[in-house]
Amino acid sequence: MTALPLLLLDVDGPLNPFAAEPQEQPAGYRTHHVRPDSWLARFPGRPVGEIEPIRLWINPDHGPRLLGLPFELVWATAWKGEANTWIAPLVGLPELPFIAWPQMHQDDPDGLHWKTRALLDWADGRPFVWVDDELGPQDTEWIAAHHPGPAATFRINPGIGLRDEDFATLREWARTELGTGA
Ligand SMILES: [Mg+2]
């Protein structure tokens, strides 16, 4: 059996449509308030109870639906390993591998997203789809020029998150590009 393609998955945007308007819980989502360690570390010396938590909108159907796709799921998020602690249980996913970015939010000399180069290194030639609300056409072009295997980028609207048709599109990509999950 051939290896499944990778689904490199961002959190804020695709799974947490933080920019939804009005600022209310979208249909199908649940609201959570969390204080991961990396968030608390931004407020040294402040009592935990005084630190405003991060609001998350998470749809618990998304995990099972993602697991039903013919992909190997990988976190590709600034949450890094904390996605396993704070996001996976809420969205209905098991512990997943994650990309441990060597740097985050840095500028790029070619105007690429800060994740793009490290993400390609991590994929190491394997077929992948990258799902993120911040990637741009320059990332898509650069990946096409530098990745030896099939690859696709799916930009998600952070005001909407993953839609029904996105699941269908991902499944269709795997089928047409790789013949998996037919
Ligand atoms: Mg994002």
Side-chain angles (χ1 to χ4, degrees), residues 10 12-13 132-133:
D10 183 27
D12 293 310
D132 200 294
D133 61 310

Side-chain angles (χ1 to χ4, degrees), residues 24-43:
E24 289 172 9
Q25 173 181 286
Y29 286 76
R30 293 180 188 163
T31 302
H32 306 275
H33 294 94
V34 301
R35 293 183 181 88
D37 288 346
S38 63
W39 179 247
L40 298 180
R42 296 191 194 188
F43 309 94

Side-chain angles (χ1 to χ4, degrees), residues 13-14 17 19-20 26 29 62 156-163:
Y29 286 76
H62 281 172
I156 301 294
N157 182 335
I160 296 174
L162 278 171
R163 303 165 301 174

Side-chain angles (χ1 to χ4, degrees), residues 50-80:
E50 292 179 9
I51 297 173
E52 193 75 16
I54 299 171
R55 183 208 61 209
L56 295 172
W57 287 320
I58 298 288
N59 185 330
D61 293 337
H62 281 172
R65 295 186 72 183
L66 286 163
L67 289 171
L69 294 172
F71 287 87
E72 187 177 319
L73 304 177
V74 176
W75 296 121
T77 165
W79 288 74
K80 297 191 280 188

Side-chain angles (χ1 to χ4, degrees), residues 134-153:
E134 291 183 348
L135 61 85
Q138 68 281 11
D139 299 297
T140 303
E141 285 171 24
W142 192 84
I143 288 167
H146 292 86
H147 187 66
T153 52

Side-chain angles (χ1 to χ4, degrees), residues 118-181:
L119 183 143
L120 226 69
D121 286 346
W122 200 91
D124 194 23
R126 285 183 64 181
F128 74 84
V129 170
W130 176 21
V131 176
D132 200 294
D133 61 310
E134 291 183 348
L135 61 85
Q138 68 281 11
D139 299 297
T140 303
E141 285 171 24
W142 192 84
I143 288 167
H146 292 86
H147 187 66
T153 52
F154 280 60
R155 186 184 172 107
I156 301 294
N157 182 335
I160 296 174
L162 278 171
R163 303 165 301 174
D164 285 348
E165 55 260 50
D166 296 322
F167 290 95
T169 306
L170 288 164
R171 184 179 294 282
E172 183 63 14
W173 183 86
R175 195 182 66 78
T176 55
E177 288 288 328
L178 304 162
T180 52

